[in-house]
Amino acid sequence: MYSHELFHTLHQLSRQLTNKLNEALKPFGLFNAQWAVIFVLNKRGSLTQKELCDYLFVEAPPMTRTIQRLVKQGYVKQVPGIDKREKHVQLTQEALKLYPEWENAVNKVNQGLLKHFPSASQEELSKLQKSWLHQLL
Amino acid sequence: MYSHELFHTLHQLSRQLTNKLNEALKPFGLFNAQWAVIFVLNKRGSLTQKELCDYLFVEAPPMTRTIQRLVKQGYVKQVPGIDKREKHVQLTQEALKLYPEWENAVNKVNQGLLKHFPSASQEELSKLQKSWLHQLL
DNA sequence: ACAAATTAATTACCTAGGTAACTATATTCC
DNA sequence: GGAATATAGTTACCTAGGTAATTAATTTGT
């Protein structure tokens, strides 16, 4: 019964990566969860909070909090939709200006984390993870 | 640059598994992090909190909290060591009595989570994860 | 032998993410 | 058209895990 070990290793790996990313984002006053939102908004433009939740597979309450912190920092604005329940979230000019710098830092740390992990292994790992995840959902 | 995707999938996978485990533990009034401690204590007997931290790669403060909850529930006791700074943590009779039931529930949910994921893939995934994790530490 | 440095555990405070309950707006269904 | 239902977002409260600072006990170094 080594399923325990599999789960344990996965959990630890996830935590280590999160910690390293947070460390790299610290100089910019950003955290992991905020970066995830910023990254998606930069790629997709304007999204409702529901759409962000669905995309990132996160429940609504933590998303509300993450967005509120980003609003307070001036990196995101909430625009009321035609459907008045919805809030369309988008990056501010300030965030768009700083984005390349952030992405650069993130890419650099990601590259460092993968440096000694062969790209064939990365491919294989990515494939296995996606396959398992899709079965779970 | 699909490192983003690799990290994102890993993070989500970890969260999904944690959620499923928590769901399975709910009837017993236990949570994921508590189970990790109980599992190790059952295997290893008595350990100091420091040893538990090292084994589970968790910082001391969250470990203190997890143990305090287990003490309150009557599943764990803290025995002062010869080195008076240390606290040796061990399962209570109550916990030892209930352990098989808990393990059974956990094994069942783990089995369910891995059901449609071929065991060759499990092996491969486990190998890749461990290899990457050891490079990071 | 005693001052300085180290270590185990705790406390306070932060982010991350989960559920349950609530509010306000939209949609459905007689 | 109006009552019932569903949906988007928020609030309150829980566990999980991180850092920084604190306390008490032990070990080191002179």
Side-chain angles (χ1 to χ4, degrees):
Chain A
M1 189 54 71
Y2 30 43
S3 57
H4 287 299
E5 194 191 357
L6 179 61
F7 295 149
H8 183 56
T9 308
L10 180 54
H11 189 228
Q12 280 192 19
L13 199 45
S14 172
R15 264 174 46 228
Q16 294 301 321
L17 296 172
T18 299
N19 290 347
K20 301 280 189 185
L21 183 54
N22 274 334
E23 207 177 311
L25 289 170
K26 199 170 184 180
F28 307 106
L30 289 174
F31 286 86
N32 168 51
Q34 295 178 297
W35 168 250
V37 170
I38 290 171
F39 180 78
V40 174
L41 289 178
N42 182 69
K43 201 160 65 174
R44 298 287 174 104
S46 184
L47 291 177
T48 66
Q49 298 189 190
K50 180 71 167 70
E51 287 168 331
L52 277 168
C53 289
D54 290 345
Y55 191 86
L56 296 173
F57 280 88
V58 160
E59 299 300 321
M63 184 53 73
T64 293
R65 286 190 295 266
T66 299
I67 288 171
Q68 282 173 351
R69 277 197 290 267
L70 284 169
V71 168
K72 193 178 290 177
Q73 286 172 288
Y75 295 146
V76 139
K77 59 186 166 192
Q78 292 168 308
V79 179
I82 294 171
D83 182 335
K84 285 183 205 150
R85 292 171 303 180
E86 295 178 346
K87 294 183 178 179
H88 294 261
V89 179
Q90 50 190 274
L91 295 179
T92 60
Q93 284 303 316
E94 175 75 1
L96 288 168
K97 197 184 75 191
L98 294 170
Y99 185 88
E101 201 181 341
W102 298 337
E103 188 177 42
N104 191 47
V106 172
N107 282 341
K108 226 170 93 184
V109 75
N110 282 0
Q111 205 176 319
L113 291 168
L114 289 166
K115 196 167 48 185
H116 302 298
F117 194 54
S119 65
S121 297
Q122 295 176 31
E123 289 285 350
E124 185 65 16
L125 181 58
S126 184
K127 214 180 66 185
L128 288 167
Q129 284 177 0
K130 271 193 282 189
S131 137
W132 190 12
L133 183 59
H134 289 141
Q135 281 163 29
L136 292 180
L137 299 179
Chain B
M1 189 55 70
Y2 24 45
S3 57
H4 286 301
E5 194 190 358
L6 180 60
F7 295 147
H8 182 57
T9 307
L10 181 53
H11 186 60
Q12 280 192 19
L13 199 45
S14 172
R15 264 176 45 229
Q16 294 302 321
L17 295 172
T18 299
N19 290 347
K20 301 282 191 184
L21 183 54
N22 275 333
E23 206 177 311
L25 288 171
K26 199 169 185 181
F28 308 104
L30 289 174
F31 286 86
N32 169 50
Q34 295 177 297
W35 167 250
V37 170
I38 289 171
F39 179 79
V40 174
L41 289 179
N42 182 69
K43 200 161 65 176
R44 298 288 174 102
S46 183
L47 291 177
T48 66
Q49 297 188 191
K50 180 67 167 69
E51 287 168 331
L52 277 168
C53 289
D54 291 345
Y55 191 86
L56 295 173
F57 280 88
V58 159
E59 298 301 321
M63 184 53 73
T64 293
R65 286 189 295 265
T66 300
I67 288 171
Q68 282 172 351
R69 276 197 290 268
L70 284 170
V71 168
K72 193 177 287 176
Q73 286 172 288
Y75 295 146
V76 139
K77 59 185 166 194
Q78 293 168 306
V79 179
I82 294 170
D83 181 333
K84 287 183 203 149
R85 291 170 306 181
E86 294 179 344
K87 296 186 177 177
H88 294 262
V89 179
Q90 49 190 274
L91 296 179
T92 59
Q93 284 303 314
E94 174 75 0
L96 288 168
K97 198 184 76 192
L98 294 170
Y99 185 88
E101 202 182 339
W102 297 338
E103 189 177 42
N104 191 47
V106 172
N107 281 342
K108 226 169 91 184
V109 75
N110 282 0
Q111 208 176 316
L113 291 169
L114 289 166
K115 197 166 49 184
H116 302 297
F117 194 54
S119 64
S121 297
Q122 295 177 29
E123 289 286 347
E124 184 65 17
L125 181 58
S126 185
K127 214 179 66 185
L128 289 166
Q129 283 178 0
K130 271 193 281 189
S131 137
W132 191 13
L133 183 58
H134 290 138
Q135 281 164 28
L136 292 180
L137 298 179

